[in-house]
Amino acid sequence: MAGKTFKYLILGGGVAAGYAAREFAKQGIKHGELAIISKELVAPYERPALSKAYLFLVGTARLPGFHVCVGSGGERLLPEWYKEKGIELILGTEIVKADLAAKTLVSAAGQTFEYHNLIIATGSTVIRLSDFGVQGANAKNIFYLREIDDADKLVEAIKAKKNGKAVIVGGGYIGLELSAALKINDLDVTMVYPEPWCMPRLFTAGIAEFYEGYYANKGIKIIKGTVAVGFTADSSGEVKEVQLKDGRVLEADIVVVGVGGRPLTTLFKGSVEEEKGGIKTDSYFKTSVPDVYAVGDVATFPMKLYNEIRRVEHVDHARKSAEQAVKAIKAKEEGKQIDEYDYLPFFYSRAFDLSWQFYGDNVGDTVLFGDNSPTSPKPKFGSFWVKDGQVVGAFLEGGSPDENQAIAKVARLKPSVNSLDVLTKEGLSFALKI
């Protein structure tokens, strides 16, 4: 097959690819200079919509409604936008070989793509139970959620299994958001996770207690401290039971698994420096290979605020790192210098009528403030993390835009505190006066 050559090539068609394309257009590129290669069949879209509004009964999100860059309040980049800008979308194309020294990528169909500058934006893939040899894990109606195709299949199953039983394996982001979505769809929902409380990578026991209580009041059953070790299927191959390690057996018409992801770096093993499970970059997302950049989930980069190297899996970082890499590429061409990436970690979630935001680092001592009763009509509470006498992280449920901005400011400025008791009493007002 005839090869193609591009000045700029983005590998991956997720959030980061869309934001990188917008930044290239802003910086000024000629028609035919930029291409995006994606395994998916659609133009880049805001992935968080899949676990939120995509599954709602009312006000459902569908493409083209959530193409990037609507997730950050920007213009929606429809497929026509790329055409107008002279950006080639090469969709439904899987790259199976990357030769960084020769600056070429080869697709499964044997087509070669040459580039001058490459941005690796391959993101993550879900961890599957079949990877661990869990018996029966390939039964029908066991779902993972990563791409729009996954969400479509789940929507069909929800319609087919009206008022059925759903088991959610995992108590993280996906577990909490999908339990809420399936409950809203009138399924009988049970969550199962091995940890002592939900969202353990971020939540303290005090924060988790509220969400577990709130979910229980919505009729969601929660089973902690055990894992799914097997599945049985009916004669048509559809899942009917989930076997737990503690011996319990749960009936299930639908199973959704959310046990984490892995950065997709396999193509580049041995040809680029790696660290902490990702591709090592500098503050401009340059890798150890000239003219190759890595952004989003796959990048392990210097976190200036904490003076250490980290990898961040979140849509906010995917957007911002993509823009930083493009600015760095264009600045290099023009012999200019841009500021180092100075990222403030940010995570958020929405489920039922709840909405929380977290900024900063969740290390050190914690205080809990506000009304965190699961039965409260308008719960509003939060936490601060304090390390070496400074507030380094802040969490808020039910905050207004101004209040969320205030906790972000606190996490960025790291103000000193003398007493945890005083901080607990002051609560949100501490952030508002900074």
Side-chain angles (χ1 to χ4, degrees):
M1 290 173 82
K4 288 185 165 187
T5 302
F6 299 95
K7 188 173 183 182
Y8 313 106
L9 194 52
I10 300 168
L11 179 58
V15 173
Y19 280 77
R22 181 178 69 170
E23 189 58 38
F24 269 120
K26 259 191 218 170
Q27 297 277 340
I29 47 164
K30 295 189 182 90
H31 277 237
E33 283 189 331
L34 171 63
I36 294 172
I37 301 179
S38 174
K39 203 160 62 66
E40 291 191 72
L41 292 164
V42 294
Y45 56 87
E46 301 283 0
R47 216 175 279 285
L50 298 182
S51 60
K52 298 176 176 72
Y54 206 84
L55 304 176
F56 291 175
L57 295 168
V58 182
T60 313
R62 284 293 175 271
L63 287 179
F66 60 98
H67 279 298
V68 298
C69 297
V70 293
S72 59
E75 177 199 350
R76 194 172 39 163
L77 310 186
L78 300 171
E80 301 84 77
W81 178 89
Y82 298 88
K83 245 190 216 95
E84 282 163 23
K85 302 289 180 191
I87 298 166
E88 193 167 337
L89 283 177
I90 302 165
L91 305 175
T93 300
E94 186 178 2
I95 295 299
V96 293
K97 187 178 173 222
D99 186 337
L100 300 184
K103 294 193 165 190
T104 57
L105 304 177
V106 182
S107 76
Q111 189 170 14
T112 59
F113 301 94
E114 294 183 6
Y115 61 82
H116 297 290
N117 295 274
L118 175 67
I119 295 180
I120 300 167
T122 42
S124 296
T125 183
V126 292
I127 293 170
R128 295 178 177 270
L129 295 181
S130 48
D131 299 347
F132 308 112
V134 174
Q135 208 176 348
N138 291 320
K140 291 178 196 163
N141 290 343
I142 297 178
F143 298 97
Y144 298 82
L145 192 63
R146 180 68 196 167
E147 297 177 355
I148 205 154
D149 195 33
D150 304 324
D152 284 335
K153 287 173 184 159
L154 181 54
V155 167
E156 287 313 304
I158 290 168
K159 286 177 186 165
K161 303 291 180 185
K162 273 197 171 23
N163 305 315
K165 292 182 186 294
V167 175
I168 309 289
V169 178
Y173 261 108
I174 291 288
L176 286 166
E177 291 187 356
L178 287 188
S179 294
L182 293 181
K183 189 68 199 172
I184 289 165
N185 278 288
D186 294 324
L187 280 112
D188 178 348
V189 179
T190 304
M191 284 179 84
V192 179
Y193 45 91
E195 299 89 358
W197 61 76
C198 63
M199 203 81 172
R201 279 167 60 185
L202 176 61
F203 289 179
T204 61
I207 293 172
E209 194 180 345
F210 164 81
Y211 293 99
E212 289 174 351
Y214 189 98
Y215 275 50
N217 291 339
K218 291 283 186 188
I220 293 171
K221 295 178 274 301
I222 294 174
I223 299 173
K224 299 187 269 191
T226 189
V227 291
V229 291
F231 300 91
T232 51
D234 62 18
S235 55
S236 65
E238 291 188 353
V239 69
K240 65 169 186 173
E241 285 176 342
V242 183
Q243 288 130 14
L244 304 183
K245 195 175 183 180
D246 66 7
R248 279 185 269 191
V249 176
L250 307 176
E251 284 179 56
D253 301 297
I254 293 174
V255 174
V256 185
V257 182
V259 292
R262 280 194 195 100
L264 277 165
T265 58
T266 324
L267 272 175
F268 309 101
K269 289 271 177 235
S271 58
V272 66
E273 207 177 318
E274 293 190 44
E275 192 164 335
K276 294 187 175 175
I279 295 170
K280 189 180 179 183
T281 76
D282 64 9
S283 298
Y284 308 100
F285 296 98
K286 276 193 299 206
T287 69
S288 58
V289 178
D291 306 319
V292 176
Y293 295 72
V295 298
D297 289 8
V298 296
T300 302
F301 63 98
M303 185 86 78
K304 195 176 173 181
L305 198 56
Y306 309 120
N307 197 26
E308 61 181 69
I309 292 238
R310 292 196 188 176
R311 196 176 64 78
V312 174
E313 285 182 17
H314 195 262
V315 64
D316 179 63
H317 164 65
R319 293 168 181 153
K320 289 172 179 167
S321 59
E323 289 169 352
Q324 174 77 350
V326 175
K327 284 173 185 163
I329 289 167
K330 298 301 279 181
K332 186 186 166 199
E333 288 173 1
E334 292 160 17
K336 293 177 183 165
Q337 190 63 37
I338 60 164
D339 291 335
E340 290 181 333
Y341 191 62
D342 188 8
Y343 186 65
L344 173 67
F346 166 51
F347 301 95
Y348 69 89
S349 183
R350 293 187 298 274
F352 294 118
D353 297 325
L354 305 173
S355 173
W356 61 258
Q357 294 194 4
F358 167 84
Y359 294 89
D361 213 6
N362 59 328
V363 291
D365 298 316
T366 59
V367 303
L368 189 66
F369 60 82
D371 172 14
N372 69 329
S373 163
T375 55
S376 178
K378 269 232 177 269
K380 186 180 202 164
F381 69 95
S383 263
F384 291 119
W385 280 257
V386 179
K387 189 186 177 196
D388 301 329
Q390 289 180 303
V391 177
V392 293
F395 172 97
L396 185 60
E397 165 64 54
S400 68
D402 287 349
E403 289 165 342
N404 287 329
Q405 266 181 332
I407 65 161
K409 196 174 175 186
V410 163
R412 165 71 73 188
L413 295 176
K414 299 190 279 192
S416 299
V417 284
N418 298 323
S419 154
L420 293 182
D421 291 341
V422 172
L423 187 60
T424 308
K425 283 196 190 84
E426 285 193 18
L428 188 54
S429 66
F430 173 83
L432 293 169
K433 70 180 187 199
I434 295 293

